[in-house]
């Protein structure tokens, strides 16, 4: 048995005045019958070459399946008199979006059933699921092709009936006006770049929508349109890889023109939030790990630094509440969440495991003393935790059930540091069965680009690997965001240096 060999069909293509001969460019044509035939031949070879593993494959599949709870309900999140959650059911491929009035008890009211949307289609993705400020309307968008090209619709929640209009070629994100009459959304260009922001009046056709902002610079995109935490302003971030600026519209004056907070400066990124009549700006201007500057809402000429730059810790975002400010960042490669009560002493939310994943959960209320976070690690299944913003006390409101015989006491996790040739320390998170004799087989994972963080996560499938004597590790290599932009920048320098020697695989060895 030999693997199939692709034909060589020489073809020249010219890019940026450079002509390249590509013997295998024909394989890009997914509609070519010979391409499909070659792929089928590869699949047939793989099936035959791994036939002796069928029994093991089936055994591992059954193990993994036994540890997955298919019927589940996310931790309900409160917003005023309503509680919102997602519900999955055994045998259904997609979730239902549900809510309860008063308290999260009883069967709940189905806002959106993604399984119904997917009926008759081979693919279904939901982009926007946004309830109006008065909680009587739902904006939702659906992609049935996999191209991230969504159709946006609106629904009366009391009757379950949709408005007649359907807005096409929309993207993720969006924002309601305070009066529930308008919805702001983005559309994409030929390169699937979200570049236009529109204002839609409910009950009218898309042709009548008003173009609010257009990003003409193809290096920039409108990817995270939303509102401030207090719902006072629509935020329109225009972002590139190294530069950003933010435009705003008051939600109570939705028909006013968008205005910019700080005009873009090449190499400077910032994000904006609003609290008690002041803009909170997280920026890397003269601060690689960011600093937080507070400005009066009507005077952006004079700012007060409320969180100074720290070369050893990064602050990535701020989360304002009525009486608290939450800072989200990283230190020593680990996620850090710091609470700053108004007029009180700041404190960190801490955990005992050596490495973990910590994210901000669904915090739908602005005037509250509780912060919801999502926590997991190699050995701890995902948990939803409510943290008291005054005392720091933690309460687990939901922990993902792991059916079967899973016992975290049978395993151990650790964290170590590898020192690169230039002296930079690279953290590595490991997990293995207790008492495992070393050396042992190791599966090492790593990704380092775009400051994209890869923290340890819980995986029911990984347990089968650990039970068979394999060590699993994540190397948090430079280029990711675990150690901040200074180390990430050093990685870029290392890559360019190594590239000149014919490869980059040794940049973080």
């Amino acid at each position: 048995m030999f693997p199939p060999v692709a034909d060589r069909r020489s073809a020249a293509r010219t890019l940026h005045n450079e002509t390249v001969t590509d013997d295998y460019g024909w394989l890009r044509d997914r509609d070519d019958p010979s391409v499909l035939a070659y792929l089928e031949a590869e699949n047939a070879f793989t099936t035959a070459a791994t036939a002796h593993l069928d029994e093991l494959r089936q055994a591992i599949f059954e193990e993994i399946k036994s540890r997955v709870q298919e019927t589940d309900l996310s931790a309900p999140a409160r917003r005023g008199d309503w509680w919102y959650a997602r519900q999955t059911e055994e045998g259904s491929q997609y979730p239902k979006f549900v809510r309860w009035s008063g308290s999260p008890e009883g069967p709940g009211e189905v806002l959106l059933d993604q399984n119904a949307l997917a009926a008759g289609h081979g693919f279904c993705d939901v982009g926007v699921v946004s309830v109006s400020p008065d909680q009587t309307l739902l904006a939702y968008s659906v992609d049935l092709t996999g191209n991230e090209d969504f159709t946006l619709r609106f629904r009366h929640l009391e009757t379950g009936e949709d408005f007649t209009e359907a807005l096409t070629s929309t993207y993720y994100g969006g924002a309601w006006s305070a009066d529930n009459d308008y919805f702001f959304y983005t559309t994409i260009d030929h390169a699937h770049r979200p570049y236009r922001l529109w204002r839609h009046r409910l009950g009218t056709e898309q042709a009548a929508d008003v173009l609010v902002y257009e990003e003409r610079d193809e290096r920039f995109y409108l990817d995270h349109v939303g509102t401030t935490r207090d719902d006072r302003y629509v935020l329109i971030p225009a972002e590139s890889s190294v530069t950003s600026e933010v435009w705003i519209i008051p939600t109570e004056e939705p028909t006013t023109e968008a205005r910019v907070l700080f005009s873009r400066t090449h190499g400077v990124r910032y994000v904006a939030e609003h609290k008690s009549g002041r803009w909170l700006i997280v920026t890397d201007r003269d601060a690689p790990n960011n600093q937080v500057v507070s400005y009066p809402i009507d005077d952006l000429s004079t700012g007060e630094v409320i969180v100074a730059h720290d070369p050893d810790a990064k602050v990535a975002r701020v989360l304002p509440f009525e009486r608290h400010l939450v800072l989200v960042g990283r230190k020593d490669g680990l996620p850090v969440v710091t609470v700053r009560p108004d007029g009180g002493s700041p404190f960190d939310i801490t955990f005992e495991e050596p490495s973990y994943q910590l994210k901000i959960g669904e915090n739908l209320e602005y005037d509250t003393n509780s912060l919801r976070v999502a926590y997991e690690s190699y050995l701890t299944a995902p948990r939803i935790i409510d943290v008291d913003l005054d005392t720091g006390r933690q309460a687990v409101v939901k922990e993902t059930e792991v059916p079967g015989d899973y016992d975290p006491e049978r395993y151990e996790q650790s964290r170590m540091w590898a020192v690169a040739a230039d002296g930079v320390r690279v953290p590595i998170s490991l997990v293995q069965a207790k008492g495992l004799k070393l050396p042992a087989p190791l599966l090492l994972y790593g990704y380092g680009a775009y400051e994209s963080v890869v923290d340890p996560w819980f995986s029911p499938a990984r347990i089968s690997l650990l039970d068979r004597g394999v060590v699993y590790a994540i190397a948090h290599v430079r280029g990711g965001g675990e150690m901040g932009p200074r180390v990430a920048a050093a990685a870029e320098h290392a890559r360019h240096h190594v590239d000149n020697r014919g490869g980059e695989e040794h940049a973080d060895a």
Side-chain angles (χ1 to χ4, degrees):
M1 167 75 59
F2 295 97
V5 178
D7 295 336
R8 299 176 68 126
R9 304 179 187 176
S10 294
R13 54 194 176 96
T14 301
L15 296 172
H16 308 295
N17 297 321
E18 294 287 339
T19 299
V20 177
T21 300
D22 187 351
D23 292 340
Y24 302 102
W26 64 275
L27 288 169
R28 292 190 179 93
D29 186 357
R30 64 178 69 187
D31 297 321
D32 185 339
S34 60
V35 173
L36 297 178
Y38 175 73
L39 294 175
E40 289 169 357
E42 282 193 333
N43 289 339
F45 170 77
T46 300
T47 299
T50 61
H52 64 289
L53 299 174
D54 283 349
E55 186 175 335
L56 175 62
R57 184 183 298 114
Q58 187 61 33
I60 292 176
F61 172 76
E62 295 298 333
E63 289 175 12
I64 295 172
K65 185 177 178 181
S66 72
R67 302 188 192 104
V68 177
Q69 183 74 24
E70 293 188 67
T71 298
D72 198 10
L73 180 71
S74 66
R78 184 176 182 177
R79 178 181 170 189
D81 293 332
W82 290 92
W83 296 77
Y84 293 85
R86 288 177 300 278
Q87 186 178 58
T88 57
E89 297 176 352
E90 185 174 356
S92 296
Q93 187 174 1
Y94 298 106
K96 295 178 181 178
F97 298 84
V98 298
R99 71 174 181 176
W100 300 261
S101 177
S103 65
E105 298 177 358
E109 168 188 325
V110 177
L111 305 180
L112 193 68
D113 184 349
Q114 192 172 343
N115 298 285
L117 298 174
H121 303 279
F123 176 88
C124 180
D125 185 25
V126 172
V128 171
V129 180
S130 179
V131 177
S132 62
D134 67 359
Q135 304 190 74
T136 65
L137 303 170
L138 174 71
Y140 73 94
S141 64
V142 181
D143 168 23
L144 298 173
T145 66
N147 290 331
E148 295 187 305
D149 186 338
F150 295 87
T151 297
L152 178 65
R153 291 182 169 87
F154 304 92
R155 176 170 295 180
H156 294 280
L157 293 179
E158 185 175 340
T159 65
E161 298 293 325
D162 283 354
F163 285 71
T164 57
E165 66 262 32
L167 316 184
T168 60
S169 295
T170 70
Y171 200 64
Y172 302 97
W176 287 94
S177 62
D179 59 11
N180 314 286
D181 288 340
Y182 296 94
F183 191 80
F184 296 88
Y185 68 95
T186 53
T187 54
I188 54 179
D189 64 10
H190 65 280
H192 271 69
R193 176 181 68 101
Y195 77 119
R196 284 177 172 170
L197 179 82
W198 300 84
R199 184 179 68 242
H200 173 75
R201 186 179 182 90
L202 269 67
T204 66
E205 294 304 312
Q206 187 173 14
D209 290 353
V210 176
L211 179 61
V212 175
Y213 177 81
E214 179 175 1
E215 180 51 63
R216 292 187 171 88
D217 189 331
E218 293 185 355
R219 297 172 298 175
F220 287 77
Y221 48 89
L222 311 179
D223 202 10
H224 299 96
V225 172
T227 61
T228 53
R229 284 271 304 144
D230 59 6
D231 291 326
R232 293 282 304 278
Y233 294 90
V234 177
L235 295 175
I236 312 161
E239 301 172 295
S240 74
S241 59
V242 298
T243 307
S244 67
E245 71 179 4
V246 178
W247 294 71
I248 61 167
I249 299 173
T251 57
E252 292 185 351
E253 302 173 42
T255 60
T256 58
E257 291 187 3
R259 65 181 179 90
V260 69
L261 285 179
F262 295 94
S263 297
R264 65 189 66 174
T265 299
H266 179 72
V268 174
R269 292 183 291 186
Y270 73 93
V271 295
E273 258 294 354
H274 177 262
K275 175 178 165 65
S276 303
R278 297 186 70 90
W279 287 109
L280 302 179
I281 306 298
V282 181
T283 178
D284 63 358
R285 182 186 291 273
D286 302 321
N289 275 341
N290 292 337
Q291 61 182 345
V292 184
V293 186
S294 172
Y295 294 88
I297 198 168
D298 54 357
D299 182 7
L300 299 180
S301 63
T302 304
E304 174 191 357
V305 176
I306 61 173
V307 180
H309 176 257
D310 184 342
D312 297 319
K314 178 179 180 178
V315 54
R317 60 181 289 207
V318 295
L319 204 69
F321 290 83
E322 182 69 35
R323 293 170 296 278
H324 305 83
L325 183 65
V326 174
L327 308 175
V328 182
R330 304 189 72 85
K331 186 173 184 179
D332 293 331
L334 292 174
V336 175
V337 174
T338 302
V339 179
R340 292 169 56 115
D342 291 356
S345 300
F347 61 88
D348 291 339
I349 300 173
T350 59
F351 300 92
E352 295 182 356
E353 292 182 282
S355 57
Y356 49 84
Q357 184 173 126
L358 180 64
K359 295 182 178 180
I360 300 298
E362 289 186 287
N363 292 273
L364 306 182
E365 290 276 286
Y366 182 71
D367 186 359
T368 179
N369 289 342
S370 180
L371 170 72
R372 177 159 290 185
V373 298
Y375 175 90
E376 64 184 288
S377 72
Y378 279 143
L379 302 181
T380 300
R383 290 177 175 174
I384 301 299
I385 302 172
D386 283 350
V387 181
D388 189 302
L389 290 172
D390 292 319
T391 66
R393 187 178 298 110
Q394 299 180 17
V396 177
V397 296
K398 179 177 175 56
E399 183 166 6
T400 301
E401 182 180 350
V402 185
D405 62 350
Y406 172 65
D407 180 5
E409 295 300 321
R410 298 204 305 256
Y411 313 95
E412 58 185 352
Q413 52 188 337
S414 59
R415 196 163 181 257
M416 62 178 293
W417 297 80
V419 181
D422 59 359
V424 170
R425 301 167 72 231
V426 178
I428 303 174
S429 302
L430 303 98
V431 63
Q432 64 195 64
K434 280 184 179 177
L436 179 66
K437 185 177 180 180
L438 301 178
L442 168 72
L443 177 58
L444 177 66
Y445 176 80
Y447 179 83
Y450 309 109
E451 288 190 56
S452 179
V453 171
V454 181
D455 284 320
W457 71 95
F458 181 82
S459 168
R462 190 187 299 122
I463 298 166
S464 295
L465 198 69
L466 304 181
D467 286 344
R468 286 167 173 81
V470 177
V471 180
Y472 183 86
I474 298 174
H476 307 284
V477 298
R478 288 179 284 182
E482 289 88 341
M483 298 297 290
R486 179 181 60 82
V487 175
E492 292 302 317
H493 174 77
R495 284 194 184 94
H496 290 307
H497 173 68
V498 175
D499 280 344
N500 292 332
R501 293 184 287 128
E504 61 175 289
E505 66 271 18
H506 301 298
D508 276 321

